[in-house]
Amino acid sequence: VGRHEQRPHAQVIETLFVSQPELHDLLPGPGGIFRRSDRFVHLGRGVGVVRDFDRPRVDHVAQSYGDHVVLIDVNLLVERGQKVVLIGPNGSGKSTLLKIIAGRLQPTEGVVQWAQRARVGYYDQHQDEALTADRTMLEEVRTVAGDQPDVALRSILGRFLFRGDDVFKPIAVLSGGERSRVALAKFLIEPSNVLLLDEPTNHLDAATRRRLVDALEAYDGTVICASHDQAILDRVATRVYQVEGGEVRELEAHRREPGEKRRRAHATE
């Protein structure tokens, strides 16, 4: 794929994702005015030099609600193609951090900076609540599909176990699990090069969970995901960060480069 090309929609059917051009030209995030600096503190890595601003960057972010402190001075630079998984106890701030990175929550302090061409997809635990009840599932996913033909949309829905006339069922009659699958299919159909996911395997049946993990593993963009799903930790994560006590630190024992586990697996076959 060329530097400024998009993959054809046929590729979406195979991977469930559309890869976008490389990222450039950082824009200010929701937390404040962009400060153009060539120095950045990596989590647990001291001071590094950043000259190619093409990645999501979290700079001295803090979040509190009154006297309740959720996050303290979080600094994070996610390299292109990395798949970051956030773990930690319930209520530790994982979802809050994801919402701040996605621009859905204004941090108390700090800034999040994005590249101009970043196409960010965001999926949270309540995504199914945003579906429109009187639409069919095909109509619902079509709202984000651009010019993709219905045959492509039906193929993707089929990967989430909706086949034949199922795609014409109205959202209103679907079970909670079915709504979660539609919401996930809709999320994956929308073109993006950075995926933010908050506990994406919650409420999914085993077959759908496997399909999601397969897709995330094959995805060649950047992923930031809050999850305790062991398959995501084992097969998807290239970096794992513990969120606890307001702080975020990397668990370096989980560090690997993209594709490293797959290469090792192939080497032993």
Side-chain angles (χ1 to χ4, degrees):
V1 179
R3 188 176 180 87
H4 297 292
E5 296 176 26
Q6 294 188 22
R7 290 185 177 180
H9 295 308
Q11 184 69 17
V12 184
I13 301 173
E14 291 300 319
T15 66
L16 300 182
F17 296 104
V18 177
S19 181
Q20 296 293 321
E22 295 180 357
L23 311 179
H24 304 279
D25 305 327
L26 202 65
L27 289 180
I33 299 174
F34 169 60
R35 293 171 291 177
R36 185 172 295 278
S37 169
D38 66 352
R39 296 177 67 80
F40 184 74
V41 180
H42 292 257
L43 278 173
R45 286 309 209 182
V47 177
V49 177
V50 177
R51 303 190 186 279
D52 183 12
F53 293 117
D54 61 2
R55 298 147 288 190
R57 169 172 155 170
V58 179
D59 196 356
H60 299 293
V61 161
Q63 184 67 33
S64 60
Y65 301 97
D67 294 333
H68 177 53
V69 177
V70 180
L71 298 170
I72 305 170
D73 194 31
V74 175
N75 298 288
L76 176 63
L77 177 66
V78 180
E79 303 287 347
R80 182 193 302 128
Q82 293 291 354
K83 297 174 182 179
V84 173
V85 176
L86 307 175
I87 63 173
N90 290 338
S92 62
K94 304 184 301 296
S95 296
T96 297
L97 180 56
L98 276 176
K99 288 178 182 177
I100 290 172
I101 294 173
R104 297 186 173 220
L105 178 65
Q106 181 87 5
T108 305
E109 297 178 11
V111 61
V112 176
Q113 300 167 10
W114 283 100
Q116 186 174 22
R117 293 182 178 86
R119 298 286 298 276
V120 181
Y122 176 77
Y123 181 89
D124 68 20
Q125 302 174 58
H126 308 290
Q127 204 86 346
D128 62 315
E129 298 173 6
L131 302 178
T132 302
D134 59 357
R135 288 178 181 154
T136 68
M137 64 178 74
L138 183 59
E139 290 171 338
E140 184 69 32
V141 300
R142 193 184 289 139
T143 62
V144 297
D147 60 355
Q148 295 183 65
D150 281 358
V151 64
L153 306 184
R154 295 185 67 159
S155 294
I156 296 173
L157 285 167
R159 289 174 177 261
F160 287 91
L161 311 180
F162 298 116
R163 297 184 175 90
D165 290 342
D166 287 347
V167 301
F168 301 113
K169 288 182 180 179
I171 299 297
V173 305
L174 301 181
S175 68
E178 288 172 329
R179 290 171 64 95
S180 293
R181 283 188 278 148
V182 172
L184 189 57
K186 180 180 177 181
F187 168 71
L188 298 179
I189 284 170
E190 187 170 10
S192 60
N193 52 19
V194 182
L195 302 180
L196 307 180
L197 305 97
D198 188 3
E199 300 290 354
T201 58
N202 282 4
H203 313 300
L204 296 181
D205 57 72
T208 308
R209 185 181 297 115
R210 285 194 298 270
R211 291 171 184 270
L212 173 62
V213 173
D214 289 345
L216 291 176
E217 185 180 23
Y219 180 57
D220 61 1
T222 301
V223 175
I224 307 175
C225 175
S227 179
H228 288 92
D229 189 288
Q230 194 61 48
I232 288 180
L233 288 168
D234 290 343
R235 294 176 49 197
V236 177
T238 63
R239 300 288 187 272
V240 177
Y241 291 93
Q242 177 85 26
V243 182
E244 190 169 10
E247 299 182 345
V248 180
R249 65 183 183 88
E250 183 181 1
L251 304 181
E252 295 193 11
H254 293 269
R255 174 176 284 231
R256 69 178 177 91
E257 296 309 311
E260 182 178 332
K261 287 185 179 180
R262 288 185 292 279
R263 287 197 299 272
R264 288 177 178 172
H266 293 327
T268 60
E269 289 178 355

